[in-house]
Amino acid sequence: MTTLAILTAAGSGTRLGRDLPKALVALAGFPLVVHAARRLAASGVVDSLVVTCPAGLDVAVRDVVAQDPHVDVPVRVVEGGATRQASVAAGLALAAPGDDVVLVHDAARPLAPPLLVRRVVEAVRAGHGAVVPGLPVTDTVKRVVPVPAAGGLGVERVVETPDRAELRAVQTPQGFDRALLERAHAQGAARARAEGRAATDDAGLVEALGEAAYVVPGEEAAMKITTERDLQVAALLLGEAS
């Protein structure tokens, strides 16, 4: 009974405005994917790591992750697919027979603390087949629909104001019973082919099966890096933690 972590690092990072994939962008001197891998390894509950990477960069990613002295678990690298869903599926295909828990984590969340990783794995091992970390939503959120005759003003009509006490902003790593995740991906792949669009959230694939997903408390440090400003905020957080 072991835990496999799939670290998705196949994104282009276009919104960061760099000439290299987001996962290889440096934060305090080290690529984002290395920061994420270090924290997964430091959790003490991850037994092996599969990193998905952009096409043609498997050697480069393997060099920076597997050779990092702080990543003391076995590392394999596989080229990801055209979508996040396809990339996770490629990583899942490398699961060993004894891997009964699978974590799915984004290299774009490089500072997710080891404590958070342990929290997710412990919840899965306690019998919750699909577990996601989440933070309470502090802004008021409204569900809207477009107004067809808005005259190019971008006006939308509010149709609902959900109770924000019931809302959570979801993070990674997400944790799963391996058999449940495999079943969800098998059905999700068929649905993606039929509908022409892929899922962006693995827990959502589980929910589509009619199975329950559960939320554990998230961490502010597990923020997602999408823009240059996010990268600067992450550097500040890293400085505060040192």
Side-chain angles (χ1 to χ4, degrees):
M1 296 175 61
T2 55
T3 298
L4 166 69
I6 299 171
L7 181 56
T8 63
S12 65
T14 303
R15 284 176 287 182
L16 263 181
R18 304 298 177 90
D19 293 328
L20 71 167
K22 183 195 296 186
L24 295 178
V25 170
L27 170 64
F30 296 95
L32 299 183
V33 67
V34 171
H35 284 285
R38 286 177 174 179
R39 285 158 179 77
L40 288 168
S43 70
V45 295
V46 170
D47 299 285
S48 62
L49 179 63
V50 171
V51 185
T52 70
C53 71
L57 290 179
D58 51 327
V59 174
V61 171
R62 185 180 298 112
D63 285 348
V64 298
V65 177
Q67 296 182 19
D68 187 89
H70 299 287
V71 181
D72 57 356
V73 297
V75 176
R76 289 167 291 171
V77 178
V78 61
E79 290 187 1
T83 65
R84 184 184 187 280
Q85 181 178 333
S87 293
V88 173
L92 188 56
L94 295 183
D99 293 332
D100 62 325
V101 172
V102 177
L103 293 177
V104 180
H105 188 38
D106 297 330
R109 297 183 187 271
L111 303 184
L115 172 64
L116 180 61
V117 181
R118 292 194 294 270
R119 186 181 300 150
V120 171
V121 171
E122 288 169 1
V124 176
R125 294 208 174 278
H128 305 294
V131 176
V132 301
L135 293 174
V137 174
T138 56
D139 292 327
T140 296
V141 176
K142 296 187 182 291
R143 190 167 65 86
V144 301
V145 295
V147 176
L153 297 177
V155 177
E156 298 169 313
R157 180 171 62 85
V158 174
V159 295
E160 181 187 11
T161 303
D163 181 359
R164 67 184 181 189
E166 299 177 351
L167 301 176
R168 296 293 181 269
V170 172
Q171 304 173 318
T172 67
Q174 300 185 357
F176 304 91
D177 171 82
R178 185 253 189 94
L180 176 60
L181 184 61
E182 287 180 332
R183 186 157 57 93
H185 265 270
Q187 178 174 296
R191 189 168 56 251
R193 288 192 295 270
E195 299 177 357
R197 59 188 178 90
T200 58
D201 175 71
D202 294 277
L205 292 176
V206 170
E207 294 166 45
L209 291 176
E211 301 284 353
Y214 299 87
V215 177
V216 296
E219 297 286 343
E220 293 287 351
M223 60 170 289
K224 183 177 182 180
I225 293 180
T226 302
T227 66
E228 183 66 32
R229 180 182 182 277
D230 297 332
L231 196 62
Q232 294 172 9
V233 171
L236 290 174
L237 290 174
L238 196 59
E240 291 173 357
S242 62

